[in-house]
């Protein structure tokens, strides 16, 4: 790889890491201001977070729809659009936002628990645990495929007593819009049908960067939680 190409790759990686840093700061402020709170509707909370992002960073674009879900709505995968719901006093909720910072995409999800339900609190803690174990599996195998990584995340979820709530466990991320990086849908996601190595280059010869997405659900009790951020860059 030539020096200009290496510089371009380094700048792309730094751009994605910086975008995630801002998303992390945004969600820390969301928690500090208690913007996700009982008594508020999901759309209202989504608008609060959007307005805070504009206040903190002047962010006006999001590369995917802004998601706030609570209670039974947390069971639904991304593509669904359940009706707006008011967050309850003893509830669980998650937020999934894709703000764009300097044309680089962030994709960040976190879960909030209200009340003392030990099962909800355990699920919230297990989200980060499964994410970290999934990342370790990725780091340990330089040839791991999307199929293998999905299977490992599914195994980790089952081992903790949960099921996966979505059809994939992550996706490509990059400059906005990331969909243009790789037109082959299966190759762009961490899914059971993706036999391609996660560490690879896209059709333009650039390194692929990935989001690891953990959506755990408790099917018996009817709720779930969500956690996502960069997989291959920290």
């Amino acid at each position: 790889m030539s020096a200009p190409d290496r510089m371009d790759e380094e700048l792309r990686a730094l751009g994605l890491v910086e975008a995630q840093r801002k998303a992390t700061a945004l969600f820390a402020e969301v928690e500090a201001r208690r913007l996700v709170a009982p008594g508020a509707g999901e759309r209202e909370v989504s608008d609060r977070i959007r307005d805070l992002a504009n206040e903190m960073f002047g962010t006006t674009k999001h590369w995917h729809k802004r998601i706030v879900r609570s209670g039974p709505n947390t069971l639904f995968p991304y593509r669904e659009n359940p009706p707006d719901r008011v967050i309850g006093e003893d509830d669980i909720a998650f937020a999934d936002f894709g703000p764009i910072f300097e044309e680089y995409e962030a994709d960040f999800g976190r879960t909030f628990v209200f009340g003392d339900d030990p099962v909800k609190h355990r699920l919230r803690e297990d989200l980060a645990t499964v994410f970290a174990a999934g990342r370790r599996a990725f780091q340990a195998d330089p040839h791991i495929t999307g199929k293998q990584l999905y299977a490992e995340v599914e195994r980790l979820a089952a081992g903790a007593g949960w099921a996966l709530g979505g059809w994939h466990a992550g996706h490509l991320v990059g400059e906005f819009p990331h969909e243009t990086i790789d037109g082959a849908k299966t190759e762009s996601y961490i899914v059971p049908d993706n036999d391609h190595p996660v560490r690879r280059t896209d059709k333009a010869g650039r390194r692929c960067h990935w989001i690891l997405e953990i959506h755990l659900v408790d099917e018996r009790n009817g709720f779930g939680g969500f956690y996502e951020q960069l997989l291959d860059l920290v």
Side-chain angles (χ1 to χ4, degrees):
M1 186 181 293
S2 67
D5 288 339
R6 283 196 299 272
M7 184 176 296
D8 178 63
E9 290 285 10
E10 290 172 3
L11 289 174
R12 289 180 68 238
L14 287 171
L16 288 168
V17 170
E18 177 63 9
Q20 178 163 288
R21 185 195 68 77
K22 290 179 178 177
T24 304
L26 170 65
F27 271 66
E29 191 65 15
V30 166
E31 191 155 8
R33 299 192 190 190
R34 299 181 180 178
L35 298 189
V36 185
E42 294 165 344
R43 291 177 188 169
E44 177 186 353
V45 171
S46 174
D47 289 345
R48 289 176 181 176
I49 299 174
R50 175 203 62 197
D51 293 345
L52 177 60
N54 292 341
E55 174 190 326
M56 292 177 66
F57 304 109
T59 300
T60 58
K61 290 191 295 184
H62 298 261
W63 68 266
H64 69 65
K65 65 183 180 183
R66 295 174 284 114
I67 292 177
V68 174
R69 292 182 181 159
S70 63
N73 285 354
T74 58
L75 294 171
F76 287 101
Y78 168 83
R79 289 177 177 174
E80 300 296 325
N81 294 291
D84 190 38
R85 180 181 181 275
V86 174
I87 300 171
E89 292 292 333
D90 190 34
D91 220 338
I92 188 168
F94 70 73
D96 173 14
F97 273 58
I100 300 167
F101 301 106
E102 304 295 334
E103 300 308 313
Y104 283 96
E105 301 165 351
D107 201 3
F108 204 79
R110 289 294 187 268
T111 294
F112 306 82
V113 176
F114 310 99
D116 300 320
D117 186 330
V119 181
K120 291 186 176 76
H121 280 278
R122 183 170 70 85
L123 186 144
R124 182 178 184 272
E125 292 171 2
D126 283 349
L127 288 162
T129 301
V130 171
F131 179 94
R135 175 181 273 170
R136 287 195 297 271
F138 164 78
Q139 293 170 336
D141 183 353
H143 305 294
I144 195 168
T145 65
K147 177 179 181 177
Q148 290 169 329
L149 184 52
Y150 180 92
E152 178 62 10
V153 171
E154 188 174 43
R155 185 191 69 80
L156 290 164
W162 316 110
L164 292 185
W167 59 275
H168 69 87
H171 53 78
L172 289 171
V173 69
E175 298 92 341
F176 176 75
H178 83 269
E179 289 90 343
T180 63
I181 292 178
D182 194 331
K185 183 176 179 181
T186 297
E187 295 179 20
S188 299
Y189 289 88
I190 299 170
V191 288
D193 293 333
N194 186 0
D195 286 318
H196 295 269
V198 177
R199 289 179 185 82
R200 58 181 173 82
T201 56
D202 63 24
K203 293 178 180 178
R206 300 178 300 182
R207 290 194 191 109
C208 290
H209 297 296
W210 295 85
I211 292 290
L212 183 61
E213 185 171 312
I214 308 298
H215 183 194
L216 302 180
V217 299
D218 182 334
E219 295 172 328
R220 182 171 65 87
N221 291 306
F223 60 80
F226 191 77
Y227 187 105
E228 69 172 338
Q229 62 186 55
L230 284 166
L231 167 66
D232 60 306
L233 299 169
V234 292

